[in-house]
Amino acid sequence: MREEALAAIQGAATLDALGGVKTRYLGKNGLVTAQLKTLGSLAPDERRARGAEINALKAELEGAVAEREATLRQEALNAKLASEAIDVTLPGVKLPSGGLHVVTRILYELSDIFESMGYRVVEGREVEDETHNFDALNMPSWHPARDLQDTFWLENGQLLRTHTSNMQVRYMETHEPPLKIVVPGRVYRYEATDATHESMFHQFEGLVVGEGITMADLKGAISEMARAMFGRGARVRFQPSYYPFTEPGADFAIWWDQEQRWLELGGSGMVHPNVFRAVDDLRAAKGLPRVYEGKTGFAFGLGPNRIAMLRYGIPDIRYFYGNDLRFLTQFKGDL
Ligand code: FA5
């Protein structure tokens, strides 16, 4: 039995198998234990000799099992270490990462340009009331110009702002001149979409108010922006236009050298005196002093989506918010 048991212990290939062998020989009903149970029927002398013999066998087998168990545990550990070893020479796995949206990049770029000219960047609400989006901008409800910007109305009588010009009113209502601000933000219009029109798009507004501000300051600011954005050779063109909140008003375009054509970018003009008056009224209602009457200023609003479309040759404005990764990842760049 001894040889057979030792061979079984050595031959156990796993800890499970070894456990089985151990039970078979040394367990409560095992073969060695059964031998011990036979001792009672022997004469005392014989019993002592036989008992010592069986106990020695038991101890030997227990030792062999413990040794085999240690070996098997070591082997299992070695296998585990080998399988978990890290090969630092393998090529890494590239993790997908996000990036800034192409329109966000343009807004950052524009903001940087104007900040370097001393402008403050402010953002404002997209849910607005009629007073700030229209009335105070010289667009009373009967004014036909209100139809120029079709509006998304909310159930509570408020609206989604149709332009960032609402922030002209909001900022002046709580700040005194002189001031220089730009406002990047989203605007909404209830209109059919096509390749150049979206119902949600971005605008970048500018407002400068002080003493003796003129149209020349407006042209200077837009020209500086154009040069910073499109290179030293960029040229700007102004054409008379109508906005209820400016007098005079002008649309401006930038010469797109690469494409050899003018790019209509946005509207601008000198702030209409009625706007200053309306702002002073709003201030007075808040108990604030009337400080805008007699001041001068200019404002502009341009479309960053158009800058991106022309700069990158994007043929359709609806790509911006189509959430197609094939489009978006082209402009990922570094964060
Ligand atoms: C305005 O919204 C005026 N608030 C701009 C302004 C500000 C004028 C301050 C004077 C003083 P307009 O509706 O033209 O103006 O829009 C300005 C620019 O927004 C356009 O030149 C165009 O680039 C962009 N834009 C207008 N409608 C859409 C549209 N549906 N989709 C994408 N871009 C648009």
Side-chain angles (χ1 to χ4, degrees), residues 149 162-165 168 189 191 196-199 201-203 205 243 245-246 264-269 299-303 305-306 317:
Q149 302 181 356
T162 58
H163 51 182
T164 43
S165 302
Q168 292 188 28
R189 289 188 198 175
E191 42 182 42
T196 52
H197 293 83
E198 258 285 28
S199 44
F201 57 100
H202 287 78
Q203 283 192 342
E205 187 94 5
Y243 295 96
F245 35 94
T246 60
E264 285 294 342
L265 251 200
S268 67
F300 62 86
L302 57 86
N305 304 77
R306 305 209 66 186
I317 193 171

Side-chain angles (χ1 to χ4, degrees), residues 59-134:
E60 187 185 2
L61 293 184
E62 278 171 350
V65 166
E67 206 176 300
R68 183 68 189 146
E69 188 177 327
T71 309
L72 286 175
R73 282 196 195 285
Q74 187 61 46
E75 275 172 11
L77 182 65
N78 288 345
K80 193 159 184 248
L81 286 176
S83 74
E84 287 177 3
I86 293 169
D87 182 350
V88 292
T89 64
L90 284 175
V93 180
K94 208 165 179 205
L95 294 173
S97 70
L100 292 177
H101 193 278
V102 54
V103 175
T104 308
R105 284 172 191 284
I106 301 279
L107 292 175
Y108 280 6
E109 210 176 309
L110 285 166
S111 299
D112 280 352
I113 291 168
F114 281 96
E115 264 184 332
S116 75
M117 292 194 265
Y119 287 67
R120 179 167 172 192
V121 180
V122 298
E123 286 179 288
R125 57 169 77 191
E126 292 172 21
V127 172
E128 191 49 283
D129 53 42
E130 281 187 81
T131 308
H132 294 83
N133 194 81
F134 292 124

Side-chain angles (χ1 to χ4, degrees), residues 66-270:
E67 206 176 300
R68 183 68 189 146
E69 188 177 327
T71 309
L72 286 175
R73 282 196 195 285
Q74 187 61 46
E75 275 172 11
L77 182 65
N78 288 345
K80 193 159 184 248
L81 286 176
S83 74
E84 287 177 3
I86 293 169
D87 182 350
V88 292
T89 64
L90 284 175
V93 180
K94 208 165 179 205
L95 294 173
S97 70
L100 292 177
H101 193 278
V102 54
V103 175
T104 308
R105 284 172 191 284
I106 301 279
L107 292 175
Y108 280 6
E109 210 176 309
L110 285 166
S111 299
D112 280 352
I113 291 168
F114 281 96
E115 264 184 332
S116 75
M117 292 194 265
Y119 287 67
R120 179 167 172 192
V121 180
V122 298
E123 286 179 288
R125 57 169 77 191
E126 292 172 21
V127 172
E128 191 49 283
D129 53 42
E130 281 187 81
T131 308
H132 294 83
N133 194 81
F134 292 124
D135 297 334
L137 288 166
N138 201 26
M139 296 167 97
S141 52
W142 49 263
H143 201 293
R146 222 142 127 160
D147 300 335
L148 295 177
Q149 302 181 356
D150 288 310
T151 311
F152 282 114
W153 293 94
L154 304 179
E155 281 175 359
N156 60 6
Q158 296 206 305
L159 50 87
L160 295 180
R161 67 174 174 192
T162 58
H163 51 182
T164 43
S165 302
N166 69 320
M167 283 308 292
Q168 292 188 28
V169 183
R170 288 233 167 250
Y171 195 81
M172 288 193 279
E173 197 177 345
T174 49
H175 297 80
E176 299 199 357
L179 58 87
K180 288 165 82 172
I181 59 164
V182 284
V183 188
R186 281 194 180 86
V187 303
Y188 304 83
R189 289 188 198 175
Y190 183 56
E191 42 182 42
T193 64
D194 61 27
T196 52
H197 293 83
E198 258 285 28
S199 44
M200 189 280 283
F201 57 100
H202 287 78
Q203 283 192 342
F204 191 84
E205 187 94 5
L207 174 70
V208 172
V209 181
E211 304 278 353
I213 305 284
T214 70
M215 204 75 182
D217 298 308
L218 167 62
K219 292 180 86 170
I222 300 292
S223 304
E224 260 320 302
M225 181 270 289
R227 280 197 285 272
M229 202 82 196
F230 301 96
R232 298 309 303 171
R235 280 185 291 146
V236 183
R237 178 185 74 180
F238 284 80
Q239 282 179 323
S241 182
Y242 172 71
Y243 295 96
F245 35 94
T246 60
E247 182 55 40
D251 283 335
F252 59 92
I254 287 177
W255 178 250
W256 187 253
D257 206 35
Q258 203 181 320
E259 303 276 324
Q260 291 289 299
R261 68 183 188 86
W262 292 99
L263 153 65
E264 285 294 342
L265 251 200
S268 67
M270 301 306 292

